[in-house]
Amino acid sequence: MTTRRTQPDLLYSQEEEALRAAVRDLLADHCDAPGVIARTESDAPHDLAAWKALTEGMGLAGLLVPEKQGGQGASHREVAVVLEELGRAVAPVPYLSSAVVATEALLACGDEELLGKLASGRTIGALAVGLHVAPGAAARAVRVEDGRLYGELTGIADAVAADVLLVPGDDGGLYAVEAAAGTVTPQVSFDLTRPLATVTLDGAAGRRLGDAGPAVRRALRAGAGLLASEQFGLAEWALTETVRYLKERKQFNRPVGGFQALKHRLAQLWLEVVNLRAAARGAADALASGEDADVLVAVAQAYAGPVAVRAAEEALQLHAGIGMTWEHPIHLYLKRAKADAIAFGTAGAHRGALAELVDLQAP
C-alpha cells in the first residue's frame, strides 16, 4: 500500500489570496445577482463578457496549461480558488467545463494546438460526456466511420457556448469536433446558470486527439475534485448571507439571530462548511501534487454535495418569505447546489469508489 509522503497543504498562500481578491472584484462588477437572474430569463444564459474578462483580461483559462503551450503554468490549487469565487457568485461562465474538464482531457492527449486556443479563452471547449458521469464510469461514445462521427449525446454541460467538442468514439479515440458541425439542442436544465444540451452528430468530421479512456478519466477526476471548491464557495456564501440577514431581521424587538435555536443551527452549519473547505482544499492539493488524488477527490465529493445543498436549504428557510421570491438570488444557489450534487457522480457513488480505494466494505 502506497503512503502519502507529505501532509496536504490546506492553507491559502498570499498569491492565492491575491488571486481571490482580484476574481471577487471582477465578479462583483460583472455578475451581480440581478444581472445573473435576468440572464437566466434570456436566450443567452452564459455571460460572455464576464468570460472574456476572466480569460483575456486575467488569463485564468490557461491556469492548468504549461507556459510553453500558451498557459499560465499554475496548478489545481489556483484553479480551486477561482472556482470558489465563481461558486460564490453562481457565475454563468463555462469555466469548469472548458478551463478544467476539456483542458485536462487535452493535456492527457498532448494536443498543443487546441490547448493553446483554450488557454487563451478565445475558444471554449466542452467534453461531450454527460455531466452526471462519475470518474471511472463508462461514458457513452458515438459511432466512428471513416473519420466521421454519428450519434447523440445528452446532458452535456455548457455545450451551447462551446466552439469545439471533445467527443469519445466507439473506436476508443477522443475526437475534436467543431460545435457548428453538429446540432446542439438546449435541454431543460434545473441549474439555469450551467445549461445542459443534447449534441447530435450526423457525419461530422472529427480529428483524433488520442485515446479517450485515460483522457476522459483524467478530465472527470479533475472536474469532480475541483467542483468541491465551487460547492464550498456556494455554501460559504449561503452561510455568510444567512448570518448577515438574521442579524438585521428583528422579531419581538430583537435580532432573530439572537434566538438560541437558530444559533445552534448556524453553528452546526458552520462546522459542516469548514469541513467542506478542508475536503475541497485537500482534493485540490492532491490533484496538484499527484499524491492520493483518487482518494481525496472521492472524499471531497462524498461530502461536498449534501453540505452545499443543506447550506442552500437553510439559507432559503431562514430568509423566510423573502427567500421564496424570484428576485432574491437564493434560488440560484439552491438549484446550483442540487445540480452539483449529481454532477460527476453522486455522493453515494463516490462513497462506493472510496470504499474500494481504501479496501473497506461499502455500506
Side-chain angles (χ1 to χ4, degrees):
M1 182 176 177
T2 303
T3 57
R4 190 177 177 87
R5 293 189 300 273
T6 58
Q7 292 296 320
D9 182 4
L10 305 185
L11 301 179
Y12 299 97
S13 66
Q14 290 184 351
E15 292 78 8
E16 290 166 353
E17 290 292 3
L19 174 62
R20 178 196 308 284
V23 174
R24 187 173 294 189
D25 287 345
L26 185 150
L27 293 175
D29 292 335
H30 287 85
C31 294
D32 61 302
V36 175
I37 293 173
R39 189 165 290 280
T40 64
E41 300 173 318
S42 72
D43 295 328
H46 291 97
D47 190 337
L48 296 183
W51 172 255
K52 184 176 181 179
L54 287 165
T55 57
E56 296 183 31
M58 297 182 66
L60 299 183
L63 287 180
L64 292 177
V65 180
E67 291 184 49
K68 64 180 181 180
Q69 295 174 349
Q72 303 300 319
S75 76
H76 300 80
R77 292 174 57 90
E78 288 78 17
V79 174
V81 171
V82 174
L83 282 168
E84 286 180 18
E85 294 308 309
L86 294 178
R88 285 179 61 90
V90 284
V93 294
Y95 190 84
L96 183 66
S97 301
S98 184
V100 177
V101 178
T103 295
E104 286 278 359
L106 291 175
L107 286 168
C109 294
D111 190 280
E112 296 189 8
E113 177 187 358
L114 197 46
L115 264 176
K117 292 180 179 179
L118 261 63
S120 71
R122 296 183 178 90
T123 296
I124 297 174
L127 181 66
V129 173
L131 185 61
H132 64 283
V133 178
R140 188 173 181 180
V142 299
R143 191 173 81 257
V144 181
E145 292 182 6
D146 300 324
R148 300 281 176 171
L149 278 59
Y150 302 83
E152 182 178 275
L153 302 166
T154 60
I156 311 303
D158 296 326
V160 293
D163 301 298
V164 62
L165 301 169
L166 308 182
V167 183
D170 61 0
D171 62 348
L174 186 68
Y175 290 84
V177 179
E178 294 295 325
T183 302
V184 178
T185 307
Q187 295 178 233
V188 176
S189 306
F190 189 66
D191 177 11
L192 300 176
T193 62
R194 179 175 286 144
L196 305 179
T198 296
V199 174
T200 305
L201 303 175
D202 187 13
R207 178 170 66 86
R208 185 177 174 124
L209 303 171
D211 294 335
V216 171
R217 281 194 296 273
R218 173 173 173 169
L220 296 183
R221 185 182 72 171
L226 293 172
L227 177 67
S229 292
E230 177 186 289
Q231 290 166 301
F232 163 65
L234 184 159
E236 187 180 47
W237 178 92
L239 174 61
T240 301
E241 285 300 303
T242 302
V243 170
R244 182 192 60 78
Y245 176 73
L246 293 183
K247 286 181 178 179
E248 296 175 354
R249 183 186 172 203
K250 291 187 177 181
Q251 195 173 61
F252 305 117
N253 204 31
R254 59 179 290 190
V256 173
F259 293 105
Q260 189 175 39
L262 297 187
K263 286 183 178 180
H264 287 173
R265 287 172 65 172
L266 292 172
Q268 178 60 37
L269 185 59
W270 180 83
L271 289 173
E272 294 178 14
V273 172
V274 169
N275 288 338
L276 172 53
R277 177 172 58 193
R281 291 296 292 169
D285 184 66
L287 287 167
S289 67
E291 297 184 24
D292 291 349
D294 289 338
V295 170
L296 291 178
V297 166
V299 168
Q301 275 307 314
Y303 188 77
V307 172
V309 170
R310 196 171 104 75
E313 289 176 340
E314 287 285 81
L316 178 65
Q317 186 177 65
L318 294 177
H319 273 78
I322 188 66
M324 297 297 294
T325 64
W326 183 262
E327 290 74 16
H328 200 284
I330 288 181
H331 64 93
L332 296 177
Y333 290 84
L334 180 56
K335 292 169 185 173
R336 173 67 70 88
K338 293 290 284 186
D340 282 355
I342 59 174
F344 304 111
T346 63
H350 287 281
R351 284 194 292 269
L354 179 61
E356 291 185 11
L357 288 168
V358 298
D359 297 326
L360 287 177
Q361 184 177 358

